[in-house]
Amino acid sequence: MDMFSDIRFDVFSTCPQSGAVQSADYVERVQAVARWSEEAGCKGILVYTENSLVDPWLVSQVILQSTKELCPLVAVQPVYMHPYSVAKMVSSFAHMYGRRLYLNMVAGGYTTELAALGDATAHDRRYARLVEYTAIIKLLLENAEPVTHEGEFHAVRNLRMTPPLPRELLPGIFVSGSSEAGLAAAKVLGATPVKYPKPAAEYGQADTDCVGSGVRVGIIARASAEEAWRVAHERFPTDKKGQLAHKLAMKVSDSAWHKQMSDLAAETAAQDTPYWLVPFENYKTFCPYLVGDYGVVSDELARYAAAGYGTFILDIPPTREELVHTGEVFGQALTKARRLKSSALRDPARQGLAG
């Protein structure tokens, strides 16, 4: 192992949402995006969960059947099912497909959707519940013997997971959330916290807030900046209905990241930067975008990597070609991230990519 081998990118794409595709075309669309993602070298693919979407486990089965190595990253909201059912899904998929899954543990969401399910649990308490919920899933999957857990929110007694899960297929655990409660939950669980990043210039080398974390970010990169921005504006035009939907969403969400992103949108709107929040402000997606030529976007990714971010969850790819462009900037970013680390080791005061 060399001194730079710890710099690597684990890249996940995101599965199309059922509400955005005609039902007759949805399965075929999921299959296509999953195959593009695997061809592009993605480790996995995020599958959303919300009241308004089809079941993420059924979508994950389509992904497993359509690919050879791609790992579904399944969003899990505790109000939807007992932790035993989650563990059973993981062990059953492992038994049938021999594939590892990732779990994206979600405590937040729209308060109106939670209220419709009869869940009025306060924000920080939902993260306390998430910790206990996830701990039970891990106990069931990590132990061949019966498990007993008497908790505040759940209890299982002499419960055994069948079929047992091979240790090499234990799921990777992510926790979605940028609040103090969310970050604390990820730390307790030994999970990867997933955040919505600020502009890369706001981070330093090996930033303690970033090391071991993941980010959600969209990418539109081309050989020239003009072409990248043309594509960006065509794909995400400003839209008054979307802006209204964004404002309404702000009112019914108690997620910390939603407010943080909105504040950032106001701060960065007039800046000449590849960090772009127009898709978020127009309710087209929930993550910031990096837009520009290959050099500029790969610089941003390299700075994120140097800060400590190693996991990147991309937005939904519209075409196979989009992932080819994205692969180009990740390739360049890896070289630049290693250069940044080399410069920092030679001279800790240097932070630039030119070293």
Side-chain angles (χ1 to χ4, degrees), residues 144-167:
E145 300 302 315
V147 167
T148 293
H149 176 88
E150 299 285 350
E152 182 179 359
F153 303 95
H154 299 280
V156 296
R157 302 179 185 95
N158 295 317
L159 183 60
R160 184 197 301 270
M161 181 47 57
T162 304
L165 185 70
R167 294 201 66 80

Side-chain angles (χ1 to χ4, degrees), residues 189-263:
L189 292 166
T192 300
V194 177
K195 308 172 184 176
Y196 293 88
K198 298 179 288 188
E202 297 191 22
Y203 299 107
Q205 291 259 358
D207 194 314
T208 53
D209 289 336
C210 308
V211 174
S213 300
V215 291
R216 288 219 64 207
V217 65
I219 291 173
I220 298 177
R222 295 292 187 273
S224 73
E226 293 76 13
E227 177 66 4
W229 282 107
R230 183 192 64 76
V231 172
H233 289 297
E234 284 184 1
R235 190 178 303 165
F236 299 113
T238 55
D239 170 18
K240 288 187 176 178
K241 286 180 64 177
Q243 292 167 6
L244 178 60
H246 170 73
K247 290 178 181 176
L248 291 173
M250 285 287 294
K251 292 180 180 177
V252 297
S253 173
D254 63 356
S255 296
W257 66 268
H258 222 134
K259 184 176 186 311
Q260 292 167 3
M261 292 265 290
S262 294
D263 292 344

Side-chain angles (χ1 to χ4, degrees), residues 4 12 62 72 93 115 136 187 228 237 243 269 278 339 346-348:
F4 303 124
F12 293 75
V62 171
F93 279 144
I136 293 173
K187 187 174 182 179
Q243 292 167 6
V278 166
R339 188 189 308 160
R346 291 198 308 269
D347 181 358

Side-chain angles (χ1 to χ4, degrees), residues 5-323:
S5 61
D6 60 327
I7 298 178
R8 60 186 176 87
F9 297 128
D10 288 337
V11 181
F12 293 75
S13 65
T14 295
C15 184
Q17 298 186 55
S18 55
V21 182
Q22 292 288 331
S23 61
D25 301 328
Y26 184 62
V27 169
E28 186 175 343
R29 186 66 180 172
V30 170
Q31 292 171 327
V33 172
R35 287 170 182 147
W36 302 341
S37 302
E38 184 166 73
E39 290 169 7
C42 292
K43 172 171 275 190
I45 182 168
L46 172 64
V47 186
Y48 286 124
T49 188
E50 277 185 16
N51 291 11
S52 60
L53 302 177
V54 298
D55 184 85
W57 298 101
L58 297 179
V59 176
S60 296
Q61 182 154 16
V62 171
I63 293 167
L64 289 169
Q65 291 175 333
S66 307
T67 57
K68 295 179 179 177
E69 296 181 356
L70 194 71
C71 301
L73 166 57
V74 188
V76 177
Q77 166 59 264
V79 296
Y80 288 158
M81 58 171 55
H82 192 279
Y84 174 79
S85 295
V86 174
K88 178 67 93 175
M89 288 288 189
V90 172
S91 69
S92 297
F93 279 144
H95 185 77
M96 294 190 293
Y97 299 100
R99 196 87 59 90
R100 187 185 187 203
L101 267 64
Y102 287 75
L103 303 178
N104 186 42
M105 307 307 298
V106 179
Y110 297 123
T111 52
T112 49
E113 291 196 352
L114 296 173
L117 292 159
D119 182 28
T121 309
H123 179 274
D124 287 4
R125 290 283 294 161
R126 294 203 300 270
Y127 279 100
R129 180 175 64 188
L130 189 79
V131 168
E132 185 182 302
Y133 183 93
T134 310
I136 293 173
I137 294 169
K138 293 177 70 175
L139 272 175
L140 287 166
L141 293 175
E142 291 171 356
N143 292 280
E145 300 302 315
V147 167
T148 293
H149 176 88
E150 299 285 350
E152 182 179 359
F153 303 95
H154 299 280
V156 296
R157 302 179 185 95
N158 295 317
L159 183 60
R160 184 197 301 270
M161 181 47 57
T162 304
L165 185 70
R167 294 201 66 80
E168 66 271 20
L169 298 183
L170 284 169
I173 306 291
F174 293 179
V175 172
S176 185
S178 298
S179 66
E180 288 187 14
L183 297 175
K187 187 174 182 179
V188 169
L189 292 166
T192 300
V194 177
K195 308 172 184 176
Y196 293 88
K198 298 179 288 188
E202 297 191 22
Y203 299 107
Q205 291 259 358
D207 194 314
T208 53
D209 289 336
C210 308
V211 174
S213 300
V215 291
R216 288 219 64 207
V217 65
I219 291 173
I220 298 177
R222 295 292 187 273
S224 73
E226 293 76 13
E227 177 66 4
W229 282 107
R230 183 192 64 76
V231 172
H233 289 297
E234 284 184 1
R235 190 178 303 165
F236 299 113
T238 55
D239 170 18
K240 288 187 176 178
K241 286 180 64 177
Q243 292 167 6
L244 178 60
H246 170 73
K247 290 178 181 176
L248 291 173
M250 285 287 294
K251 292 180 180 177
V252 297
S253 173
D254 63 356
S255 296
W257 66 268
H258 222 134
K259 184 176 186 311
Q260 292 167 3
M261 292 265 290
S262 294
D263 292 344
L264 272 172
E267 293 172 15
T268 59
Q271 298 176 6
D272 182 16
T273 170
Y275 187 89
W276 195 51
L277 282 167
V278 166
F280 170 73
E281 292 179 295
N282 286 269
Y283 206 61
K284 304 304 181 190
T285 189
F286 297 111
C287 60
Y289 261 75
L290 302 178
V291 183
D293 62 38
Y294 295 149
V296 166
V297 175
S298 60
D299 282 353
E300 293 292 294
L301 291 175
R303 291 190 178 98
Y304 284 135
Y309 288 124
T311 299
F312 293 82
I313 302 176
L314 305 173
D315 202 6
I316 303 164
T319 63
R320 173 187 280 116
E321 289 70 27
E322 194 63 53
L323 285 170

